[in-house]
């Protein structure tokens, strides 16, 4: 496992644990605070109710300290009503604040308590105070009996409540720590599951980088982002593999095609040192052969360079009127070959034949078609026709076709004439590299279209392409890059 994957897993696990710790701490704090408030408020409410009942009792009845004696055998006196709540302690004060019946534990008697005991009005209450008795916390209040007869001290123990809250706090912290640890372990397990496919994908990428092999198996499981990344990586490797294979075949085919003109050139060059010994006709034939072979070699090299660089063409895409391009190609080919070439646009005079494309590529493809027709139509009596048609309906585009009256195309050759270096048996004796129609296919595919070839009624061939433009190609030249 790489350091990057370990770091990612650690970060995911720590992040998960941190979020769980934050949520647990917040929930634990709020829960404890709410519980503590409720318990304390409940205890205080019980104490306040006891004091309130005592004040009401002494106001309604004339009671003496003896009425609150702890020696009541029937346990049905007012003292027992006060001691029913757990943790309540009672201490009785007589006149002047003297202790008549001591509490357990004994309660402190202050000056304010004595003043309440001497009060003439029943139910007079001293201010509540918190005291500590034998290490326990109590809430203390003193209620006068009236007429200077004394007072009753009531104390409620709060230590048990605080001990309970302390235990609750300790358990809350323990549970929170357990939740954080469990969240960390679960986060590590989850991070391991999440990153395992990323780790395998990274290992695959490292294997490709180290070995250069493009036929490795890529993990593409899952429908999430990681699975999408794996599928994209797999498609990228597939396209790279096809590109490498195309390059390999191009080099092999180019080497095969270059071998013939180079061999012929070497043979003719070897005769140059004896050119003075050759008859005039042989000399003229030798020079003509050298010129012809050099032209073919030049054309082959130029077409190889153009074919190899075509997929990376950075020519900007502009609006191209294919009818005007056809006129330019016809004019240029007339000068080169001396053949009659006509251009016709099917439809009204104002028919729009414009697409978004790369003008130099489209002109090169159309030139290859016209020059190919001129090469095969050796008779030279019938004109070569270029027909441009605007298609309508779904998937509309522009159709460009070149018609000649040459020997036509055999059925066995119709599907292969656009392959690189393919030469029909009838064309092998003619000059050419076998790349012209392959370039036509590349250009057509780059512009969202396809080439076509068929026999022409009455003899000859119809070869051309249909293009939709770079916008219709869904990415332009990238369409051809997948071959």
């Amino acid at each position: 496992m790489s350091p990057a994957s370990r770091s990612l897993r650690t970060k995911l696990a720590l992040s998960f644990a941190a979020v769980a710790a934050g949520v647990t701490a917040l929930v634990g704090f709020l829960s404890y605070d709410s519980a503590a408030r409720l318990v304390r408020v409940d205890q205080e409410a019980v104490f306040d109710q006891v004091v309130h009942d005592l004040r009401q009792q002494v106001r309604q009845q004339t009671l003496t300290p003896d009425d609150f004696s702890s020696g009541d055998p029937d346990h049905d006196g007012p003292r027992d009503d006060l001691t029913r709540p757990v943790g309540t302690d009672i201490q009785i004060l007589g006149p002047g604040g003297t202790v008549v019946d001591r509490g357990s534990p004994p309660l402190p008697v202050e000056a304010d308590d004595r003043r309440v005991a001497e009060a003439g009005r029943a139910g007079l209450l001293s201010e509540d105070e918190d005291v500590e008795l034998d290490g326990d916390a109590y809430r203390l209040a003193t209620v006068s009996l009236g007429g200077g007869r004394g007072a009753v001290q009531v104390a409620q123990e709060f230590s048990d409540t605080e001990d309970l809250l302390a235990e609750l706090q300790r358990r809350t912290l323990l549970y929170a720590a357990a939740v954080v640890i469990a969240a960390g372990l679960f986060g590590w397990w989850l991070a391991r599951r999440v990153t395992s496919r990323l780790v395998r994908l990274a290992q695959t990428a490292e294997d490709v980088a180290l070995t250069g092999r493009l036929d490795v198996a890529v993990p593409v499981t899952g429908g999430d982002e990681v699975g999408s990344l794996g599928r994209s990586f797999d498609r990228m490797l597939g396209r790279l593999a096809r590109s490498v294979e195309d390059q390999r075949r191009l080099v092999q085919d180019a080497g095969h095609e270059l071998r013939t003109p180079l061999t012929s050139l070497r043979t003719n060059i070897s005769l140059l040192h004896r050119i003075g010994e050759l008859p005039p006709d042989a000399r003229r034939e030798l020079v003509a052969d050298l010129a012809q072979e050099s032209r073919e070699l030049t054309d082959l090299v130029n077409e190889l360079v153009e074919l190899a660089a075509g997929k990376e063409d950075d020519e900007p895409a502009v609006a191209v009127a294919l009818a005007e391009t056809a006129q330019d190609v016809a004019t240029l080919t007339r000068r080169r070959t001396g053949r009659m070439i006509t251009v016709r646009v099917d439809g009204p005079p104002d028919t729009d034949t414009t697409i978004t494309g790369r003008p130099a590529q489209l002109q090169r493809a159309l030139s290859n078609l016209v020059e190919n027709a001129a090469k095969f139509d050796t008779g030279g009596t019938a004109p070569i026709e270029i027909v441009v048609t605007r298609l309508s309906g779904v998937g509309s585009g522009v159709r460009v076709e070149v018609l000649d009256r040459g020997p036509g195309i055999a059925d066995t050759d119709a599907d292969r004439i656009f392959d690189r270096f393919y030469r029909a048996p009838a064309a092998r004796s003619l000059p050419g590299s076998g790349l012209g129609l392959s370039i036509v296919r590349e250009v057509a595919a780059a512009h969202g279209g396809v080439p076509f070839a068929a026999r022409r009624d009455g003899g000859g061939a119809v070869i051309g392409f249909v293009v939709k433009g770079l916008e219709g190609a869904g990415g332009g030249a990238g369409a051809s890059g997948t071959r």
Side-chain angles (χ1 to χ4, degrees):
M1 183 170 58
S2 66
S5 65
R6 288 198 299 269
S7 176
L8 181 59
R9 288 181 180 177
T10 302
K11 288 179 181 178
L12 287 175
L14 291 178
S15 299
F16 198 88
V19 171
V23 172
T24 304
L26 179 61
V27 173
F29 171 77
L30 294 178
S31 301
Y32 171 78
D33 184 68
S34 299
R37 286 177 182 272
L38 289 174
V39 171
R40 289 190 177 107
V41 168
D42 183 67
Q43 285 291 90
E44 291 174 359
V46 171
F47 179 72
D48 291 341
Q49 186 63 41
V50 170
V51 174
H52 178 268
D53 292 343
L54 176 60
R55 293 182 69 188
Q56 289 293 106
Q57 189 177 28
V58 298
R59 285 173 180 170
Q60 294 173 0
Q61 305 175 33
T62 301
L63 300 175
T64 65
D66 293 338
D67 294 325
F68 292 92
S69 173
S70 60
D72 181 9
D74 297 329
H75 298 287
D76 57 355
R79 180 189 182 98
D80 295 303
D81 293 336
L82 299 177
T83 57
R84 283 193 180 97
V86 178
T88 303
D89 189 18
I90 302 297
Q91 182 168 278
I92 310 302
L93 302 181
T98 59
V99 178
V100 176
D101 193 342
R102 191 173 300 279
S104 178
L107 303 179
V109 181
E110 306 292 340
D112 188 50
D113 301 322
R114 295 187 182 94
R115 178 182 60 79
V116 172
E118 295 175 352
R121 184 163 57 90
L124 185 65
L125 178 66
S126 67
E127 184 177 357
D128 295 353
E129 60 177 326
D130 294 329
V131 297
E132 184 174 340
L133 303 175
D134 295 339
D136 296 325
Y138 285 80
R139 175 70 56 83
L140 176 63
T142 305
V143 179
S144 67
L145 297 176
R149 293 186 296 273
V152 178
Q153 288 184 301
V154 181
Q156 177 71 42
E157 184 182 357
F158 279 82
S159 294
D160 291 343
T161 300
E162 295 302 323
D163 292 343
L164 174 65
L165 294 177
E167 178 65 17
L168 177 62
Q169 185 182 51
R170 185 180 68 83
R171 291 192 179 188
T172 300
L173 292 175
L174 288 176
Y175 291 151
V179 169
V180 171
I181 294 174
L185 295 176
F186 179 75
W188 179 264
W189 174 81
L190 184 62
R192 185 179 181 86
R193 282 183 58 87
V194 170
T195 60
S196 59
R197 289 180 294 157
L198 284 175
V199 171
R200 292 197 299 270
L201 192 58
Q203 290 174 344
T204 301
E206 291 176 1
D207 291 342
V208 172
L210 290 174
T211 64
R213 292 182 54 194
L214 301 176
D215 57 346
V216 296
V218 179
V220 294
T221 57
D224 54 5
E225 289 81 357
V226 178
S228 177
L229 176 62
R231 285 186 289 274
S232 298
F233 185 64
D234 187 52
R235 287 194 297 269
M236 181 189 71
L237 287 183
R239 293 184 63 174
L240 284 175
R242 288 190 293 271
S243 178
V244 170
E245 178 63 20
D246 285 345
Q247 292 178 359
R248 185 186 65 80
R249 285 193 296 106
L250 178 61
V251 171
Q252 289 179 346
D253 293 343
H256 175 74
E257 293 296 323
L258 286 170
R259 200 170 290 120
T260 299
L262 287 176
T263 301
S264 179
L265 279 174
R266 282 198 304 268
T267 302
N268 289 329
I269 290 172
S270 66
L271 297 175
L272 286 179
H273 71 282
R274 295 191 298 112
I275 193 170
E277 304 174 5
L278 299 177
D281 291 341
R283 277 181 287 181
R284 285 192 297 270
E285 184 179 352
L286 176 60
V287 172
D289 285 345
L290 285 171
Q292 178 66 26
E293 294 292 345
S294 63
R295 281 194 301 270
E296 289 191 17
L297 185 59
T298 301
D299 291 342
L300 177 59
V301 171
N302 289 338
E303 290 181 340
L304 281 172
V305 171
E306 185 169 349
L307 185 63
K311 296 179 183 178
E312 306 296 334
D313 197 341
D314 57 358
E315 182 185 8
V318 297
V320 181
L322 290 179
E324 296 179 5
T325 302
Q327 291 286 0
D328 295 339
V329 169
T331 301
L332 181 62
T333 310
R334 286 191 202 103
R335 289 200 301 264
R336 289 179 177 175
T337 64
R339 294 292 302 271
M340 173 62 69
I341 301 173
T342 63
V343 177
R344 174 166 54 89
V345 178
D346 274 356
D350 58 348
T351 298
D352 182 18
T353 61
T354 302
I355 66 165
T356 301
R358 297 187 172 94
Q361 286 189 5
L362 292 168
Q363 183 171 351
R364 174 63 171 167
L366 190 51
S367 296
N368 286 356
L369 291 177
V370 178
E371 291 176 359
N372 190 72
K375 178 175 65 175
F376 282 94
D377 189 1
T378 56
T381 56
I384 297 172
E385 300 179 42
I386 305 176
V387 181
V388 183
T389 308
R390 164 62 71 176
L391 304 179
S392 60
V394 179
S396 61
V398 177
R399 177 186 178 95
V400 179
E401 53 188 8
V402 177
L403 301 88
D404 63 58
R405 289 298 181 183
I409 302 173
D411 294 337
T412 55
D413 297 330
D415 296 332
R416 300 190 58 193
I417 61 173
F418 294 101
D419 293 343
R420 292 175 183 169
F421 301 107
Y422 179 75
R423 307 284 298 278
R428 290 171 186 169
S429 61
L430 298 175
S433 62
L435 290 174
L437 295 183
S438 177
I439 293 174
V440 172
R441 181 181 62 180
E442 297 288 338
V443 173
H447 290 77
V450 292
F452 60 86
R455 288 176 174 273
R456 184 183 181 186
D457 293 339
V462 180
I463 305 178
F465 53 82
V466 176
V467 288
K468 300 176 184 178
L470 294 180
E471 294 178 350
S480 66
T482 61
R483 289 179 47 255

